[in-house]
Amino acid sequence: MNILGISAYYHDSAAAILQSGKIIAAAQEERFSRKKHDARFPVNAIGSCLDVGNMSLSDIDYIVFYDKPLLKFERLLETYLAHAPIGIRSFIQAMPIWLKEKLYLKTVLKNEFISLGISKSKLPPLLFTEHHQAHAASAFFPSPYKKAAVLCLDGVGEWATSSVWLGDGNKLTPQWQLDFPHSLGLLYSAFTYFTGFKVNSGEYKLMGLAPYGKPKYAQTILDNLIDLKPDGTFQLNMKYFNYPVGLTMTNNKFAKLFGGPRRAAEGILTQREMDIAASIQVVTEEIVLRIARTVKKELDVDYLCLAGGVALNCVSNGRLLREKIFKDVWIQPASGDAGGALGAAYSVWHEYLNNPREADNISDSMEGAYLGTKSTNDEIKTYLDSIEAPYEYLPDEKLLPKVAEILAQENVVGWFQGRMEFGPRALGGRSIIGDPRSPKMQSIMNLKIKYRESFRPFAPSILHERVADYFGIDQASPYMLLVDFVNSEFRLPLTDEQEKLFGIEKLNIVRSKLPAITHLDYSARIQTVHPETNPRYYNLLKEFDKLTACPILVNTSFNVRGEPLVCTPEDAYQCFMRTEMDYLVLENCIISKSEQPQGAKDEAWKQEFELD
């Protein structure tokens, strides 16, 4: 039994295949199209998943979409009618797309699949789940838990913006939900917009900016923007927001509340933006904690699963874990809309077809989130030979010690191996890695390789059995979705002069013996690496530890700002040549930048700008 789940047409389209309840493959369209947050029909992701599973569309028994478009249209129409005539411009913009495509999505989807080469008569049944149902299924069914509460927090699905479920065996039972326009995800996105970042992609920048500020506006938010109840439920004061029917997230009243207009995109970051970021982060954490306590009281279960875009707020996740409301928390690594493709497939397998589910309260079913494509050494060598790129082929027993030594010399390495990750995090499959002990590593990676804002922190990858030696947690964090603090023995005291600095002035202070992965507040977004799911990356960490007595590497995604994670060896090589990475490892092929011809760099930039 093969089930194909898809998400598309809103943002982060993706595909996933389950075979008899086991994940065969999952991938996001953006990786293949090279368009960040690509929302188009995931033709390339579908093809990739089918290739990984060695199957064709004729082998698929069910196709399932992660959303119910008629319910979403109902919400849009009711919202516009409730606000008329305000919002007529956005109504005029939205309706043609709905009347032409989205309202008739079943027909659109069938035509898309027929265009892939399957006849109409052989097209498998096409099913639809609700948006939050798909999120909840993606969180619970692959989780380790036999029984758990499930909390979904995002911008908005059809109507739901926050929902609570009880997962038990192969069933998900809805408990309650909060509806649009009252949304924690959209509240956070409103502040993302106001501080000059891009909605639906810049929220993590706002989270990274928060430690540079003080939460001086937190009470302003609670007094004016949100009516927060003790149980965590809330209503937003919509007098301050434009997003239900407008073309912007916030309005002039919102700007007046925070002392002036929104920061222009790419404008100078001031202390105000830093304080705003700190404030909305504090409010977000308080809302999540209150809801979690309510859910624990109502459902009386030991475990909690999280999904939805807000579940990618790893600072909030770390706080939730430290509060010990639940015995443990599991977060879907593809918590956003892409994960809805996987959740929709799971929902059909367990809920629609009533198939049983096994869980042991220990191990999840995500296979480390390494669910995408893989390139063989032969394929890599063929590509490198075709472009006449000098490289050295080494078996692992020689390659890994050499890479460890290269890293220990403060070189930056592009690391491409195994299957591509599913979700927004690079987890040692498509990563850029470096030495966390280097004081200059963060600025080198941010400014010369990632081409991104200098304030943004980098994450540590650490041998899973050593995590408590360096950080405040003593448990697995394989998906880089938990933030905790560097242990006190690794922190460096600040001078009186350093203590007096504010905001971005604090950026270049060396705060710990691991400066490249220590954020301003001594926090780090931790990835534990496990031999069961990524043995080569684990063994590289072992070699680095053997050489340096440090079981940690800096790990950031293999891309530059504005690009998706690299997908193919060609993507990786072109990215390598456009940046100041020193070495590139493609499976067992190691490539030195200094040995590459100048023409290869020129060609990489030529392709970047699509010049002829």
Side-chain angles (χ1 to χ4, degrees), residues 200-217:
N200 290 330
S201 64
E203 283 76 7
Y204 59 95
K205 298 181 184 180
L206 189 67
M207 181 181 68
L209 186 64
Y212 290 91
K214 302 289 185 184
K216 60 183 289 184
Y217 296 107

Side-chain angles (χ1 to χ4, degrees), residues 147-218:
K147 186 175 183 179
V150 183
L151 177 57
C152 303
L153 301 166
D154 67 357
V156 60
E158 294 88 3
W159 278 103
T161 63
S162 307
S163 64
V164 175
W165 307 69
L166 177 63
D168 191 356
N170 69 342
K171 299 297 181 187
L172 274 167
T173 305
Q175 304 297 302
W176 52 268
Q177 69 182 47
L178 303 180
D179 286 346
F180 183 86
H182 308 291
S183 165
L184 178 57
L186 290 173
L187 174 66
Y188 204 89
S189 290
F191 281 92
T192 301
Y193 166 84
F194 190 74
T195 50
F197 301 118
K198 191 174 180 180
V199 172
N200 290 330
S201 64
E203 283 76 7
Y204 59 95
K205 298 181 184 180
L206 189 67
M207 181 181 68
L209 186 64
Y212 290 91
K214 302 289 185 184
K216 60 183 289 184
Y217 296 107

Side-chain angles (χ1 to χ4, degrees), residues 52 67 90 111 163 170 232 249 281 302 306 308 332 340 351 365 377-378 395 413-414 422 528 530 546 557 586 595:
V52 170
D67 208 59
S90 58
N111 289 337
S163 64
N170 69 342
M249 293 296 294
Q281 182 62 38
D302 292 330
L306 294 175
Q332 165 56 239
E351 298 186 282
S365 304
N377 277 306
D378 285 344
V413 176
F422 183 52
T528 56
H530 303 255
K546 189 188 305 181
S557 56
L586 298 173
E595 297 175 358

